Amino acid sequence: MGENPRKGDALEGPTLEGSNVARMNANVSEDIQAEQQHSTEQDLRQHRLDKLARIRARGEEPYKYLFTRSHTIGAARAAFEAAEASATAEEHPGVAAALAGRMTAFRRQGKSSFADLRDESGRIQIFFNQKQLGEDAYEALKDLDLGDFLGIHGNVRRTRTGEITIFADRYEILTKTLRALPEKWHGLKDVETRYRQRYLDLAANPEVMDVFRKRIQVVSVMREFLTGHGYLEVETPMLHPIPGGATARPFVTHHNTYDRDLYLRIAPELYLKRLIVGGFDKVFEINRSFRNEGVDTRHNPEFTMMELYEAYQDYLGLMDETEEMLCTIIERVTGGTIFEHHGRTIDIQRPWRRLPLFEAIRTYAGIDLEATRDREEAAKRARDAGVDVDATMGYGKIVDEVMSAKVQPHLVQPTFLYDYPIEISPLAKRKRDNPQLTERFQPFIGGYELGNAFSELNDPLDQRDRFLQQVKLREAGDDEAQYLDEDYITALEVGMPPAAGLGIGIDRLAMLVTNTTSIREVIFFPQLR
């Protein structure tokens, strides 16, 4: 992912003309050597403040308002390579450029110096020469620090050793940094610091930026796919009077003017379906939702999901659409239909395996939970299979626990599990030939549950009964059970056409395509203790 960081000490960055590393290590600029000798962060900061004062004393502004780039670094490198490829002469004059970025390495050798400049698009070497810059400007290089943002005007061409380099005609300090970047430029390793100070993580670990580029691409391709298939992107409230649309514990807040408690959205589902009631045929929302639950490698209290609803569709048709959409996204982001994930090769070529939930439990857990509807018998069979069951779990929750513990880890290749028990699917239509089940499916890849979908329950009387069953579960101690939403029942009584709905977890999908092991790796600023 991205360009590999350089190895060794933070100062061992540039390729030096006609020099060897051992000799150049003895010629590291005196000011950077002095910075390394300071023992505390406060001393380091003061050392940089002294440089800042010298810059201002020369009449320079160390925090510029503007710098006009002619190219990004990546574009400048590409322009040079294109010019080089088309040149007829053995040498060509190069490409004139004005580049800007953060200085990530610096080495001084008498009247010549080399540095690295990095922006979002990549890295380039800078060559500073006293004759070209003038004595004063060259001497002022001593006031530069690793991490400073520079603007460079010059010519891009190759050095004798073949490295693409900008030969500086002049430079200017765009932003003077007062705090040192991580000690080793090739990587900030402390996980807690990486998450708490993501700006340091992005600056020190270029591959991290590539992870987030892929996450951004996931959302971009998803949006492109949906709008191309006739869906309209909409927005619904994040503050709800009643938490609904998912089985989850909500966050509570208070509205001062109305003097009432409100809940942060746990899902946009019930509002999106109100739009189907109102007459929209195909809608989706890429949304932030909040669930006041445990935190682990696959769960963050604040997360991103996509939900869509399509009128006149059922779960089987939506399963086909989901397969097509996920294949499109994964192939575009990873570059193919086969990719590596945690040391395993995954092939997303269609068609995907489709497996009834209870058949999967029989296959992977070795127990039959479909043959009994008795809660106590189901609990006994789950315990026999090695799954913990507590007193608050009803029959449906036991089934779900067995699936999570015993089935999900085996679903590495793309798989749809479908036909879930009615007890854990309060918003889904009953299965046409088995009213104890619902027309619901979930996609799994790499052992990740990526989403949830079903034929939407549009019978208001059945929906009320399901909500009342959820209320009983809450009274029995299940604090994730859903609330009764009278306004939503009213909307269904107005009439909702046959419809199917899907939710996809953006964060988990990003984890899959970036081959990361924790949801915190794909959220810019994850929630920490």
Side-chain angles (χ1 to χ4, degrees), residues 340-409:
E340 294 298 314
H341 182 259
H342 302 343
R344 301 176 294 193
T345 299
I346 295 177
D347 187 346
I348 62 164
Q349 291 187 74
R350 303 170 69 184
W352 292 4
R353 180 172 64 156
R354 302 185 179 192
L355 190 62
L357 172 63
F358 284 108
E359 182 181 328
I361 290 174
R362 287 191 289 269
T363 300
Y364 294 109
I367 58 174
D368 189 348
L369 294 180
E370 188 175 19
T372 179
R373 306 297 298 182
D374 180 72
R375 188 265 173 203
E376 295 307 317
E377 177 61 25
K380 178 182 181 302
R381 295 183 186 187
R383 292 190 185 100
D384 289 345
V387 177
D388 291 333
V389 174
D390 65 49
T392 67
M393 293 180 182
Y395 168 79
K397 192 68 176 289
I398 293 169
V399 172
D400 191 54
E401 286 293 310
V402 172
M403 185 276 290
S404 297
K406 296 297 181 178
V407 177
Q408 185 172 335

Side-chain angles (χ1 to χ4, degrees), residues 211-226 233 265-266 268 284-289 291 297-300 302-308 322 325-326 329-330 333 341 443 445 448-452 502-516 518-524:
V211 166
F212 284 102
R213 283 197 190 95
K214 288 184 176 179
R215 180 201 166 97
I216 292 165
Q217 189 181 9
V218 164
V219 176
S220 177
V221 176
M222 180 179 287
R223 178 176 280 117
E224 177 186 324
F225 179 92
L226 292 172
E233 185 169 11
R265 172 171 60 195
I266 58 174
F284 79 98
E285 182 173 10
I286 296 174
N287 63 91
R288 299 291 283 180
S289 290
R291 298 183 184 177
T297 58
R298 299 187 186 186
H299 297 86
N300 191 66
E302 178 181 2
F303 61 98
T304 305
M305 62 190 299
M306 183 284 297
E307 284 206 14
L308 65 80
T322 302
M325 179 178 67
L326 290 176
I329 293 168
I330 294 170
V333 176
H341 182 259
I445 307 177
Y448 291 167
E449 170 203 322
L450 296 179
N452 191 30
L502 166 71
I504 293 290
I506 300 293
D507 307 302
R508 288 188 192 168
L509 183 53
M511 289 172 63
L512 180 73
V513 299
T514 58
N515 198 20
T516 48
S518 171
I519 195 170
R520 292 177 174 180
E521 296 288 351
V522 296
I523 296 175
F524 274 123

Side-chain angles (χ1 to χ4, degrees), residues 458-498:
N458 59 345
D459 178 341
L461 302 181
D462 192 1
Q463 184 65 82
R464 178 182 290 279
D465 289 342
R466 304 273 199 95
F467 278 153
L468 291 176
Q469 289 298 318
Q470 290 289 301
V471 170
K472 290 180 180 179
L473 289 174
R474 290 189 64 79
E475 291 171 350
D478 185 351
D479 58 5
E480 294 185 348
Q482 297 194 31
Y483 292 71
L484 173 62
D485 188 333
E486 289 286 1
D487 183 73
Y488 178 66
I489 297 294
T490 299
L492 291 185
E493 290 183 349
V494 171
M496 185 173 79

Side-chain angles (χ1 to χ4, degrees), residues 437-452:
L437 301 178
T438 58
E439 297 193 348
R440 175 184 171 189
F441 72 82
Q442 290 186 295
F444 294 83
I445 307 177
Y448 291 167
E449 170 203 322
L450 296 179
N452 191 30

Side-chain angles (χ1 to χ4, degrees), residues 24 34-35 44 46 67 83-84 107 114 122 147 154 158 176 200 228 234-235 256 326 334 391 398 404 424 439 490 507:
M24 289 314 302
E35 177 166 306
L44 291 170
Q46 184 57 54
F67 182 84
E84 185 180 50
R107 197 186 314 277
F114 288 80
R158 289 192 189 274
K176 181 66 187 166
L200 287 180
V234 299
E235 295 177 306
N256 292 331
L326 290 176
T334 65
I398 293 169
S404 297
I424 53 171
E439 297 193 348
T490 299
D507 307 302

